Amino acid sequence: MNQKHWKNLALAGLATIMPLGLFASNTVQAQTTINLPNFRNATLTRHNTYRATHRSPSFTVSNALNTTAQSWAERLASTSTFEHSSASQRNNAGENLYVSYTTANSIAAGTLGNQAVTSWYNEVSAYNYASPGFSMQTGHFTQVVWRGSTQLGCGAARGTKNLNGRNYNAFYVVCHYAPAGNVTGQFPQNVIRP
């Protein structure tokens, strides 16, 4: 395959707060070659644009959430895995994940941030406002616009992944949200129709 972006994946779910010291000292850490300030600015701006459409307040940046999201992104990149952190690591924050596999050596930080948030938000087309609630098909979207979530932290890291015998660069994105969204029984007041 000679496509630049071979595959983009996203997982819905509740979030993870990962204490920095949780990993053993001999764990190989992923090298982060992403301009994190540009990436974080892009993710914040894109989130807040979508949130305004749904009459949700703008997110404020949380350095603590940036730290835990970055830690988890590096963990995913260093292990070539794509999974949410365990319930014991969540500390009541929400979490969205995204990965882009590409043969390119780099990706513009703003582009990566915008792709991740846009991918999550595009689940809006499957959301049923007449029957509000959680769905695996719309969990990213609902967390992005969840009115009760007020703080955002995001991280990104570059790793590698072998898919069908071919090596790709894998750019992992993790965003953490506080307080967490996707709370059963609270969808009507937190996911507002545009």
Side-chain angles (χ1 to χ4, degrees):
M1 277 179 239
N2 54 7
Q3 295 175 333
K4 182 177 177 183
H5 289 283
W6 184 77
K7 190 174 189 177
N8 289 320
L9 298 175
L11 288 177
L14 293 179
T16 314
I17 295 289
M18 175 63 77
L20 290 177
L22 195 57
F23 301 115
S25 61
N26 61 355
T27 301
V28 176
Q29 292 296 314
Q31 182 180 11
T32 303
T33 57
I34 298 162
N35 182 320
L36 291 176
N38 288 352
F39 163 78
R40 288 179 175 142
N41 184 57
T43 58
L44 177 66
T45 300
R46 186 59 55 114
H47 272 93
N48 286 339
T49 298
Y50 290 135
R51 288 174 67 79
T53 301
H54 295 267
R55 296 181 303 283
S56 293
S58 292
F59 279 130
T60 59
V61 173
S62 164
N63 289 331
L65 293 176
N66 277 341
T67 298
T68 58
Q70 184 62 37
S71 179
W72 192 249
E74 290 175 9
R75 173 69 174 185
L76 296 176
S78 69
T79 60
S80 298
T81 57
F82 190 67
E83 61 191 12
H84 285 286
S85 51
S86 70
S88 65
Q89 299 164 333
R90 293 177 193 247
N91 290 332
N92 297 320
E95 178 177 77
N96 277 346
L97 305 178
Y98 174 90
V99 64
S100 177
Y101 299 117
T102 179
T103 57
N105 288 329
S106 64
I107 185 170
T111 299
L112 180 62
N114 286 327
Q115 285 177 346
V117 180
T118 298
S119 171
W120 298 330
Y121 181 81
N122 283 344
E123 294 174 358
V124 65
S125 63
Y127 190 73
N128 184 353
Y129 292 96
S131 180
F134 180 78
S135 163
M136 290 299 290
Q137 289 72 41
T138 62
H140 296 100
F141 155 69
T142 52
Q143 177 59 85
V144 167
V145 302
W146 194 265
R147 188 174 224 175
S149 295
T150 59
Q151 295 183 317
L152 175 70
C154 296
R158 177 179 170 257
T160 58
K161 181 75 172 179
N162 186 291
L163 299 168
N164 299 320
R166 185 165 183 184
N167 287 325
Y168 290 88
N169 289 308
F171 292 90
Y172 294 87
V173 173
V174 176
C175 285
H176 286 170
Y177 306 84
N182 292 335
V183 178
T184 302
Q186 296 182 16
F187 282 80
Q189 63 269 36
N190 283 287
V191 183
I192 311 302
R193 186 187 299 267

